[in-house]
Amino acid sequence: MLSEKNIIENGEAILGIEFGSTRIKAVLINSTGKILATGIFDWENHLDKGIWTYYDNEILKGLQTAYLNLSENVREKYQVNIKKLSAIGISAMMHGYLPFDRKDKQLTEFRTWRNNITQQASKELTTLFQYNIPQRWSIAHLYQAILNNEPHLNELNHITTLSGYIHWKLTNEKVLGIGDASGMFPIDIKTKSYDSDMIEAFNQLIRDKNYPWKLEQLLPKVLVAGEIAGKLTQDGARLLDPSGNLCANIPFCPPEGDAGTGMIATNSIKEKTGNISAGTSAFAMIVLEHELSNVYEELDMVMTPAGKLVAMAHSNNCTSDINAWISLFSECLYHFGVNIYSEELYEALFLLALKGESNCGKLLSYGFYSGEHNIGLSEGCPIFIHPTNANFNLANFMRAHIYSAFAAMKIGVDILQKKENVHIDQIFGHGGVFKTTGVAQKILASALNTPIATMKTAGEGGAWGIALLANYINKCNTSLEDYLDKIFAYANISVTHPDKEIIQGYNAYMKQYLKNLPIVKKAIELNHLGYN
């Protein structure tokens, strides 16, 4: 059996890179899914002239730096340089709008999933298609640009997502995995491509504009898991690894969205299974046995990387407000001469949260850093409420913020469970919020009244998931489900069950959360809060 060093030297390792909201992560694995090395690059989005965006130079710098960090870790650990790889996969935040002209010039800023600026387009397209089109989706951004009469539309040649953009830069192929594509435009389950009737309806809707393009000409080609989606070009190799060590001609799997790679990273692609990815945003992905009976604005209909129907309960906000408060606590400690690693501070405060009262001592948190489509909020402003009769202490404070992190997402999951009677055997959780053992898991299991499973790779998330998909192009003589079952056969899985006391406390919290929500929303919308 080859050593890990030999695997890397022989070019048999697999690379996955995921562009998350606050971190770009590169993961190197072997053919059994074992992680050999990782690399990271931390970044943040910008609110620029009312648009949440990442700048192009940051995207490319992040790609190179995450890979460089990985390469340095490989060199330190194994004393080798990465020259060849068995396969590569790219994943990123889904949705958004990246438009280009015929000369491949970017026509607008990158409009990310976090923006809630397409309400009119979202509503009109949902009515036209009789299919929920959330504000985040690429087609909503495109149609809103049309409604706004934006001048770039006459020059438009193609649009894509962030994963599609990076993949195109590295391979010169304008393609997209079916999971990420399903967040651009609705997918036909039978053809596993864009719904042709809806495309025709859209073309008819805008025919009076006389644009020099049809919608089908703009969208990237749809591919499913197991298909080869191109190979690393010479230019792509130099872009990824400016040192020149990495050779070209390495095959790629289809680029995917973070929702799809989250399903892969938790082996949640079979019916009645699901996963929750929790970070800057939170979304629950539940694989369905059949289509839903109604259209719900709170639920997206998307696909697994293999093309199975999934209901997504998405919230734009999850841990950003928690991160901001913990940063403040860290700053406070620093001024008292106490330096503590952020990981230690997170763990201590998360564990303290479990000592708080089950109803958070009547404290309430609304962590709306950005707008929240689930409640029709176009702009964000985090709000913390502590009534005079509340028990205001640190344990309750932390507990209220963890409760709040999952509250908006729970609205969508409740529709699935209570209105559509969708049975969920178990949900896998992944993302940094689950790193502290037994805290977020216990709260989330109780919030959804469903067992939550986590693994040691919970913090690696989608970067590991896209590496597994890249590895699958070498093993696609078997089904994706069987392939993942083998990968996860010996996984160290921990299952947390709902707690009766927390269920009662969370329900009491949600009752007050929803009762006060219209007031909170109105205050934000009227700009009564903060500086103007």
Side-chain angles (χ1 to χ4, degrees):
M1 188 175 181
L2 291 175
S3 68
E4 293 175 354
K5 179 178 180 179
N6 290 145
I7 289 170
I8 297 170
E9 282 184 315
N10 293 346
E12 297 176 18
I14 302 98
L15 173 66
I17 301 177
E18 177 155 285
F19 286 70
S21 300
T22 59
R23 172 168 288 181
I24 300 170
K25 177 168 282 189
V27 169
L28 198 68
I29 66 170
N30 66 11
S31 61
T32 67
K34 181 180 178 181
I35 295 174
L36 305 178
T38 63
I40 61 171
F41 175 77
D42 291 326
W43 67 339
E44 276 290 350
N45 55 184
H46 311 280
L47 187 59
D48 189 345
K49 298 177 182 177
I51 302 293
W52 288 104
T53 190
Y54 297 88
Y55 303 133
D56 186 60
N57 63 326
E58 293 177 313
I59 294 171
L60 300 180
K61 177 185 176 183
L63 173 71
Q64 293 173 343
T65 306
Y67 181 79
L68 175 63
N69 186 229
L70 170 80
S71 300
E72 290 172 343
N73 290 335
V74 166
R75 199 155 41 244
E76 180 180 345
K77 188 174 181 180
Y78 302 107
Q79 293 78 52
V80 296
N81 290 318
I82 302 173
K83 295 183 178 180
K84 296 180 182 179
L85 292 163
S86 176
I88 300 175
I90 301 294
S91 173
M93 301 165 277
M94 290 179 67
H95 317 297
Y97 186 64
L98 274 165
F100 299 87
D101 67 12
R102 290 184 180 276
K103 295 182 179 179
D104 298 333
K105 175 187 174 184
Q106 189 171 324
L107 295 173
T108 73
E109 69 283 290
F110 171 31
R111 299 170 185 176
T112 77
W113 59 271
R114 200 172 192 181
N115 291 287
N116 283 266
I117 56 175
T118 65
Q119 187 174 35
Q120 182 183 355
S122 172
K123 287 184 177 181
E124 290 187 15
L125 292 178
T126 296
T127 300
L128 177 68
F129 297 150
Q130 284 301 292
Y131 192 100
N132 185 34
I133 303 296
Q135 291 195 53
R136 305 181 306 282
W137 282 30
S138 306
I139 188 60
H141 280 280
L142 173 61
Y143 187 48
Q144 190 65 52
I146 292 171
L147 293 173
N148 295 343
N149 291 311
E150 295 190 28
H152 76 271
L153 294 166
N154 283 308
E155 303 174 61
L156 193 58
N157 180 254
H158 60 102
I159 63 174
T160 191
T161 64
L162 183 55
S163 79
Y165 172 65
I166 297 297
H167 182 92
W168 168 44
K169 285 286 188 180
L170 297 175
T171 67
N172 204 32
E173 296 288 345
K174 296 170 184 173
V175 300
L176 210 56
I178 192 170
D180 207 5
S182 67
M184 291 192 77
F185 192 87
I187 296 291
D188 185 324
I189 300 172
K190 295 178 181 178
T191 65
K192 291 185 169 46
S193 188
Y194 305 111
D195 189 295
S196 58
D197 291 337
M198 294 185 192
I199 284 181
E200 179 57 27
F202 184 86
N203 286 334
Q204 288 299 312
L205 178 67
I206 65 168
R207 67 184 183 278
D208 292 342
K209 297 290 185 178
N210 295 314
Y211 293 124
W213 46 261
K214 300 287 187 182
L215 178 59
E216 60 269 26
Q217 297 169 332
L218 303 181
L219 297 169
K221 181 181 178 182
V222 180
L223 299 175
V224 297
E227 294 188 80
I228 294 177
K231 294 185 177 182
L232 185 66
T233 63
Q234 291 288 351
D235 289 342
R238 295 297 79 78
L239 175 63
L240 180 58
D241 181 16
S243 74
N245 285 323
L246 188 64
C247 297
N249 214 36
I250 299 168
F252 276 66
C253 70
E256 268 296 353
D258 50 358
T261 55
M263 286 186 277
I264 297 297
T266 54
N267 194 16
S268 302
I269 60 170
K270 297 177 182 176
E271 289 86 353
K272 296 194 292 185
T273 66
N275 81 288
I276 286 176
S277 175
T280 302
S281 65
F283 47 86
M285 308 286 292
I286 309 300
V287 186
L288 301 177
E289 296 178 274
H290 50 75
E291 295 188 40
L292 301 181
S293 62
N294 286 301
V295 175
Y296 301 98
E297 289 186 2
E298 298 86 353
L299 296 170
D300 300 16
M301 303 308 297
V302 293
M303 298 284 164
T304 72
K308 288 187 177 180
L309 188 63
V310 176
M312 175 197 283
H314 184 280
S315 61
N316 282 0
N317 300 279
C318 184
T319 60
S320 291
D321 201 27
I322 295 173
N323 297 340
W325 281 109
I326 289 183
S327 177
L328 185 71
F329 297 149
S330 179
E331 183 182 350
C332 179
L333 290 170
Y334 173 80
H335 285 289
F336 281 93
V338 178
N339 291 308
I340 186 170
Y341 289 113
S342 62
E343 290 82 359
E344 294 179 63
L345 190 55
Y346 272 94
E347 183 172 5
L349 291 174
F350 268 54
L351 290 171
L352 180 63
L354 289 183
K355 297 181 180 180
E357 297 168 63
S358 63
N359 71 342
C360 307
K362 298 183 180 180
L363 303 179
L364 285 170
S365 168
Y366 297 86
F368 301 137
Y369 248 70
S370 63
E372 189 57 73
H373 63 97
N374 265 3
I375 62 167
L377 187 63
S378 61
E379 295 182 9
C381 178
I383 295 174
F384 173 62
I385 301 174
H386 56 101
T388 53
N389 65 342
N391 188 4
F392 188 16
N393 59 42
L394 188 55
N396 283 337
F397 177 88
M398 286 304 304
R399 192 170 186 128
H401 280 79
I402 298 174
Y403 275 21
S404 174
F406 301 121
M409 179 188 68
K410 175 178 164 60
I411 295 170
V413 177
D414 281 351
I415 290 172
L416 285 175
Q417 292 180 318
K418 296 175 182 178
K419 291 186 178 180
E420 290 288 336
N421 297 313
V422 172
H423 178 74
I424 309 169
D425 293 333
Q426 180 175 275
I427 297 177
F428 275 87
H430 73 104
V433 74
F434 298 110
K435 278 194 171 182
T436 301
T437 304
V439 180
Q441 295 90 319
K442 183 177 288 188
I443 289 172
L444 184 57
S446 304
L448 304 182
N449 199 17
T450 302
I452 299 293
T454 54
M455 293 174 288
K456 284 187 175 181
T457 54
E460 305 301 341
W464 186 57
I466 192 63
L468 293 178
L469 281 173
N471 186 38
Y472 181 58
I473 65 175
N474 299 315
K475 302 175 182 293
C476 58
N477 56 333
T478 185
S479 71
L480 184 59
E481 290 85 354
D482 288 346
Y483 160 72
L484 289 178
D485 282 344
K486 290 179 181 178
I487 292 287
F488 285 84
Y490 303 103
N492 185 1
I493 298 173
S494 175
V495 180
T496 302
H497 293 274
D499 178 279
K500 288 185 178 179
E501 182 180 354
I502 299 178
I503 291 174
Q504 292 175 350
Y506 200 98
N507 287 340
Y509 179 89
M510 282 300 296
K511 183 178 180 181
Q512 294 303 312
Y513 179 96
L514 294 172
K515 179 181 178 181
N516 287 278
L517 187 56
I519 301 170
V520 169
K521 180 183 172 184
K522 193 71 173 178
I524 296 173
E525 289 175 342
L526 293 177
N527 291 319
H528 285 173
L529 300 171
Y531 290 97
N532 296 317

